[in-house]
Amino acid sequence: MQKLGEFKLPHFFNYPPYFTLQPVRDTREKQIQLWKELILDYCKTQKLFVIALEEEFPLFTNTVIERSLTNEAREAFLSALVSEGRAEWMDKGHRKCLILWHRIQDWADILLQFAKDNGLEDGVVTIEEIRFGTESQGTELHGIDRTILNRALKLLEQKGKLVVFKGTSTDDEGIKFSV
Amino acid sequence: MRRRPGIGGLQTAAAARDQYKKLGENVAKIRTDMMKEQLSTFRSQLEDFARKHKNDIRKNPAFRSQFHEMCAKVGVDPLASNKGFWAELLGIGDFYYELGVQIVDICLATRPLNGGLINLQELCQLLRQRRKSDRGVVSEDDCLRAISKLKVLGSGFEVISVGKKKLVRSVPTELNKDHNEILELAQGQGFVTVDEVERRLSWTSGRAIDALDTLLDEGLAMIDDGHKDGKRRYWFPCVSPISSLTGIDSL
């Protein structure tokens, strides 16, 4: 089985026609489903949050069979993810896509769990610590995308689970939990 | 018998005919009885054989296949009914029934990927993977028998030959001769181009494109425009080796 680094690629990745957007509806639907799953899987294991369409994304090219997804295909697959709520376009031109391999709600739950696990139910922690601190190492929060984190925080703020407050600089932004 | 004139003569002739008829029927009956007795002997010998070799039949596909042939010669179909001697003794009815159900499952699961046409070899392999250590090996012959039982259900299951390979069709799509020829051509590299079809089969462009479009619409073919030579390729999942299809691990 082919691998991309440590990531095991599914069989369809080696079948050339899957790199061409299929014209027949049923076939195309199956193709889109396979690619959606692959993209989410890959981004999750590699902890990738943003896909830029015009940049080289290893998943969109298979050098062994010499095939590459057209821009049209890339946009089709990502749009499908967006429709499903598993991604969001970051710009009107659809050049950049935010991948939600965890939905925002899931990230919010993970944050709450993190607070409980670290005895922070009434505590304070900085954004920096959440993203890069020692407590978050080994958890999914480590290295989380800033935009996604902000969205999750907003969601929890609306539910009254925490309050975001600003420090002297962006890195000092902190959270007070009230779980 | 001397013909007598008049009504009496007619009656005698009629009586004679009747007697000949009865004699003929008796002879036929004797012959039939003899045959029935011979068959009955064959059958009970076959039953003895089956009893003795029950395990071999269950476990060894080659043996099983030959056993079936023997049964066929004597007019016995161990799969004809799920009840009765054969099914009870050998549990064979259950075996093929179960196989049939698994085959239908696999065909349905792979249908989105291959349009409802699957290579027999591949089907058997997927079947084996599914059954793993389940009570003995499953051969292609077993698959074919199970599929022939499925046909009786009118479920649209059929085995078709394309070139040297056998494909199992699980959709009502009718493949005509043109489609078959393309599938056979595709067995070489797993794909064909319009040029190739025109050239190798000596068809007009229209005929080639027509056939390819139908196969595309039926989900049996997929297009590939990514080759650097710019020529569109039509790939056929049902003739490609297993490794080109996805999801088989989860089947």
Side-chain angles (χ1 to χ4, degrees):
Chain A
M1 190 179 247
Q2 216 185 318
K3 285 190 183 179
L4 212 57
E6 275 308 304
F7 184 77
K8 274 192 189 159
L9 291 161
H11 294 297
F12 84 83
F13 191 76
N14 288 317
Y15 200 50
Y18 279 98
F19 281 81
T20 301
L21 198 57
Q22 294 300 307
V24 175
R25 190 195 60 184
D26 286 347
T27 315
R28 185 173 59 243
E29 274 171 18
K30 184 66 192 179
Q31 177 187 28
I32 290 179
Q33 186 209 331
L34 290 169
W35 274 102
K36 277 194 316 192
E37 280 168 18
L38 175 57
I39 291 170
L40 282 179
D41 228 4
Y42 183 73
C43 288
K44 182 172 183 178
T45 53
Q46 308 298 308
K47 280 212 160 173
L48 296 170
F49 299 92
V50 177
I51 294 180
L53 261 80
E54 271 143 10
E55 276 167 29
E56 261 321 301
F57 188 59
L59 215 52
F60 291 161
T61 303
N62 184 339
T63 47
V64 174
I65 59 170
E66 293 180 319
R67 293 292 188 278
S68 203
L69 285 176
T70 59
N71 258 9
E72 191 198 3
R74 297 174 196 211
E75 200 178 327
F77 302 151
L78 292 172
S79 292
L81 278 173
V82 171
S83 300
E84 215 188 300
R86 303 310 297 266
E88 283 176 10
W89 289 114
M90 293 169 85
D91 61 319
K92 283 214 174 88
H94 290 192
R95 298 286 121 217
K96 274 195 176 170
C97 197
L98 188 69
I99 308 297
L100 301 171
W101 39 269
H102 275 318
R103 292 172 199 272
I104 302 293
Q105 178 58 59
D106 298 330
W107 283 114
D109 291 339
I110 291 171
L111 261 171
L112 287 180
Q113 190 60 46
F114 172 78
K116 287 179 189 157
D117 289 345
N118 290 281
L120 288 165
E121 285 92 334
D122 275 317
V124 173
V125 68
T126 66
I127 301 279
E128 182 76 11
E129 279 172 326
I130 289 180
R131 293 184 74 209
F132 303 111
T134 41
E135 275 95 11
S136 73
Q137 253 173 27
T139 72
E140 287 183 298
L141 282 176
H142 203 80
I144 185 177
D145 176 86
R146 192 61 214 263
T147 317
I148 289 181
L149 180 59
N150 282 350
R151 299 273 296 279
L153 290 172
K154 208 173 185 182
L155 190 64
L156 289 170
E157 208 173 23
Q158 281 168 355
K159 290 194 178 160
K161 300 284 186 183
L162 52 81
V163 174
V164 179
F165 58 88
K166 291 201 191 313
T168 49
S169 68
T170 337
D171 286 342
D172 274 355
E173 269 183 317
I175 309 169
K176 167 125 184 26
F177 283 102
S178 13
V179 177
Chain B
M1 189 165 283
R2 199 166 66 83
R3 295 271 295 275
R4 285 163 55 202
I7 293 187
L10 284 172
Q11 281 174 337
T12 314
R17 257 198 312 280
D18 277 339
Q19 279 188 344
Y20 274 124
K21 194 162 163 233
K22 276 204 190 102
L23 185 61
E25 279 168 358
N26 277 342
V27 169
K29 189 167 182 299
I30 289 170
R31 280 213 195 105
T32 313
D33 284 347
M34 263 172 56
M35 261 181 8
K36 277 189 187 156
E37 204 183 295
Q38 277 185 334
L39 275 176
S40 166
T41 310
F42 276 136
R43 279 180 192 152
S44 65
Q45 285 183 334
L46 204 51
E47 285 170 15
D48 280 342
F49 179 86
R51 256 189 222 102
K52 272 190 206 130
H53 298 274
K54 178 165 139 179
N55 270 337
D56 284 323
I57 293 170
R58 266 203 182 125
K59 295 204 173 136
N60 186 330
F63 198 86
R64 188 159 59 231
S65 166
Q66 290 185 334
F67 173 70
H68 274 289
E69 274 182 38
M70 245 175 22
C71 289
K73 283 190 177 134
V74 190
V76 167
D77 183 358
L79 305 183
S81 142
N82 214 26
K83 299 192 183 139
F85 168 76
W86 295 102
E88 278 160 28
L89 174 70
L90 303 172
I92 267 189
D94 283 342
F95 173 73
Y96 286 102
Y97 172 74
E98 194 184 293
L99 218 58
V101 169
Q102 289 173 329
I103 287 172
V104 170
D105 248 0
I106 290 171
C107 286
L108 286 178
T110 56
R111 194 179 287 180
L113 299 163
N114 57 29
L117 210 59
I118 184 171
N119 195 317
L120 178 65
Q121 248 183 314
E122 179 172 358
L123 176 60
C124 286
Q125 192 146 333
L126 291 173
L127 205 51
R128 282 179 213 125
Q129 273 179 10
R130 218 181 198 215
R131 296 172 63 88
K132 302 225 172 161
S133 57
D134 244 23
R135 297 161 265 145
V137 176
V138 169
S139 65
E140 279 184 18
D141 184 77
D142 290 324
C143 286
L144 288 172
R145 286 185 199 280
I147 291 166
S148 70
K149 291 299 150 190
L150 286 173
K151 271 176 81 170
V152 169
L153 302 174
S155 47
F157 274 78
E158 204 175 7
V159 178
I160 61 176
S161 289
V162 173
K164 294 185 210 122
K165 298 216 174 140
K166 290 201 172 69
L167 304 178
V168 177
R169 197 193 73 190
S170 60
V171 284
T173 312
E174 283 296 332
L175 288 179
N176 63 29
K177 196 159 170 295
D178 277 5
H179 301 142
N180 253 44
E181 285 191 74
I182 289 179
L183 281 175
E184 198 173 332
L185 194 59
Q187 278 178 16
Q189 296 176 280
F191 68 85
V192 297
T193 60
V194 175
D195 276 350
E196 207 183 328
V197 171
E198 285 175 27
R199 208 183 351 117
R200 299 272 295 271
L201 303 177
S202 302
W203 289 359
T204 62
S205 170
R207 184 175 172 187
I209 292 176
D210 236 9
L212 287 168
D213 275 347
T214 305
L215 290 166
L216 200 61
D217 282 336
E218 294 295 337
L220 295 171
M222 293 177 75
I223 56 166
D224 165 28
D225 290 333
H227 198 276
K228 52 182 177 236
D229 67 10
K231 284 202 198 144
R232 169 171 283 192
R233 282 158 171 69
Y234 292 79
W235 291 79
F236 295 86
C238 61
V239 304
S240 290
I242 295 171
S243 57
S244 56
L245 292 187
T246 190
I248 59 162
D249 295 338
S250 52
L251 283 181

